[in-house]
Amino acid sequence: MKALVALILLVQLPIHRAAPAAPPPPLGCDDPESEAAAEFAVDYINGHSHHGYKFALNRIQQIRVLPQGPNNEILFLELDLLETTCHILNPIPLANCSVRTFEEHAVEGDCDVKLQKLNGQFTVLASKCHSHADSAEDVRKHCPDCPLLARLNDTDVLATVSSALNDYNIKNPDAYFRLLEIGRAIKQYSPVRMVNVEFAVAATNCTLQQAKDNLQACQLLPEDQSNFGFCTATTVTEPSQDFTAECQLYGHQPGVTYPHSGQDTLAGLVPSAGQGFLNHNLRISHNNPVASESSSSEFPSLLSAKSVAKRAVVEVAQHDKVPRPVGFVPPPPPCPGKIRHFKI
């Protein structure tokens, strides 16, 4: 009987279970892990871009982390980028590239990137990017006299490019260089009437004389001998006429290629040779088909992540209504992050 009573009492004793572990706080856009992921994503974007300029991180708009298991997580990033002065063929590290100023008619990039972080190593699973120039109205509002981006197939732009590259080839006849692409162009009408262009070039297997004799036989140097360069030129027509041009050669870069054969300027450039846009769109769309977490709908979670960020802001605002000790500073919302350069 005593054993039965003891057993009953034992069953009735309260069972103390360990409280479930609290979920980790949301990852903030300016946390070191977020910045490391964004830096990796930007390097990937620049490494897979085939036109225009390298882009630098301006702001982490949003980040969402989905745990997948021990030392394994998926990160969704929404990034704001800004165009730099370094062309994609420029071997200078991104850290040494200057961001275009607002007064230079800045170009902004918007990217969604899906990363996997496995055992501390990042891998890009998917990415989508596009870029656009700031509006002319916005530039004029803050800088009435600043020059604006011109269309890359503008006749004045093409004439300046042809003059500059032909001038360089005449001064350096041992290697005939061909136009790869016009990177950007600006036009100004007052107080000085001028056109400024930037363009990428590459060496061919011809001398200047060989190009004049048989232009069709001239081809870009093969990958193991490729030699790229970058030129700037300015034509001023008022109040006085002036023309300046300068080219910088990067030399051979192992593994660096260009997807198109380029264009010759010996006979000038016709409007169809350029493109009717203001800037090269940072058009990247990548989906890793062999990644286990990859799917056809890559970024739906970013939308819910935005709502999470908004909810965090509301919660902070509601908490502020509760009396706090003197000197209390409420925590900032985890996203969006700081602006590193300027806002467009």
Side-chain angles (χ1 to χ4, degrees):
M1 178 63 72
K2 291 182 179 180
L4 179 60
V5 172
L7 180 60
I8 294 173
L9 292 175
L10 180 62
V11 171
Q12 291 177 343
L13 289 176
I15 299 175
H16 297 282
R17 294 182 175 88
L27 193 62
C29 281
D30 292 330
D31 289 351
E33 182 179 353
S34 303
E35 294 186 338
E39 180 179 351
F40 183 88
V42 171
D43 286 343
Y44 174 89
I45 291 165
N46 286 325
H48 287 75
S49 178
H50 299 295
H51 297 282
Y53 298 85
K54 298 178 183 180
F55 278 76
L57 178 66
N58 189 37
R59 191 181 203 184
I60 304 175
Q61 280 285 353
Q62 190 53 254
I63 182 169
R64 188 183 184 199
V65 181
L66 300 179
Q68 302 295 302
N71 299 318
N72 185 9
E73 56 190 17
I74 302 298
L75 297 88
F76 293 91
L77 289 165
E78 185 179 344
L79 307 176
D80 289 345
L81 313 180
L82 286 174
E83 184 187 80
T84 71
T85 58
C86 293
H87 193 269
I88 56 166
L89 296 173
N90 193 327
I92 295 177
L94 179 63
N96 297 336
C97 296
S98 301
V99 169
R100 299 259 182 204
T101 65
F102 177 85
E103 291 75 17
E104 292 178 275
H105 202 162
V107 174
E108 181 181 34
D110 300 311
C111 291
D112 290 337
V113 184
K114 180 181 180 182
L115 296 170
Q116 182 178 29
K117 186 179 182 182
L118 180 62
N119 296 323
Q121 300 296 318
F122 290 113
T123 302
V124 172
L125 302 183
S127 59
K128 293 180 182 178
C129 294
H130 69 90
S131 61
H132 57 89
D134 192 13
S135 68
E137 293 77 15
D138 197 23
V139 176
R140 286 283 184 244
K141 180 167 48 177
H142 295 89
C143 186
D145 295 328
C146 286
L148 298 176
L149 287 173
R151 294 191 177 277
L152 301 184
N153 65 347
D154 180 275
T155 54
D156 293 333
V157 169
L158 298 179
T160 300
V161 170
S162 295
S163 297
L165 186 50
N166 290 339
D167 180 71
Y168 179 83
N169 279 324
I170 291 172
K171 294 178 180 178
N172 302 272
D174 292 339
Y176 175 70
F177 276 77
R178 178 177 289 177
L179 172 69
L180 291 181
E181 70 176 20
I182 302 173
R184 69 164 20 218
I186 59 174
K187 296 184 74 170
Q188 186 172 356
Y189 298 94
S190 178
V192 176
R193 188 178 183 90
M194 66 93 176
V195 177
N196 178 269
V197 297
E198 300 177 2
F199 55 97
V201 297
T204 68
N205 57 355
C206 292
T207 65
L208 175 61
Q209 187 58 51
Q210 290 171 334
K212 290 180 178 179
D213 294 340
N214 187 6
L215 186 59
Q216 294 182 349
C218 299
Q219 304 295 326
L220 295 184
L221 293 176
E223 181 179 341
D224 60 343
Q225 303 174 35
S226 60
N227 186 6
F228 300 107
F230 187 73
C231 302
T232 59
T234 302
T235 298
V236 178
T237 55
E238 293 179 10
S240 59
Q241 293 188 351
D242 188 28
F243 176 78
T244 58
E246 182 180 359
C247 291
Q248 175 189 5
L249 298 186
Y250 301 140
H252 175 58
Q253 303 173 63
V256 177
T257 59
Y258 191 80
H260 302 294
S261 59
Q263 304 164 63
D264 297 292
T265 58
L266 286 178
L269 293 171
V270 297
S272 60
Q275 298 291 339
F277 46 73
L278 300 178
N279 65 281
H280 290 280
N281 190 1
L282 184 63
R283 187 172 298 161
I284 293 177
S285 182
H286 162 75
N287 181 25
N288 188 344
V290 300
S292 60
E293 296 300 326
S294 181
S295 66
S296 58
S297 180
E298 289 299 328
F299 303 103
S301 298
L302 285 177
L303 299 177
S304 59
K306 293 178 182 178
S307 64
V308 169
K310 292 180 180 178
R311 183 170 67 252
V313 175
V314 173
E315 289 174 353
V316 170
Q318 290 175 344
H319 290 166
D320 285 346
K321 297 177 183 179
V322 180
R324 300 291 185 180
V326 176
F328 172 79
V329 178
C335 285
K338 64 185 177 184
I339 296 175
R340 290 161 173 76
H341 302 283
F342 52 87
K343 184 177 181 180
I344 292 184

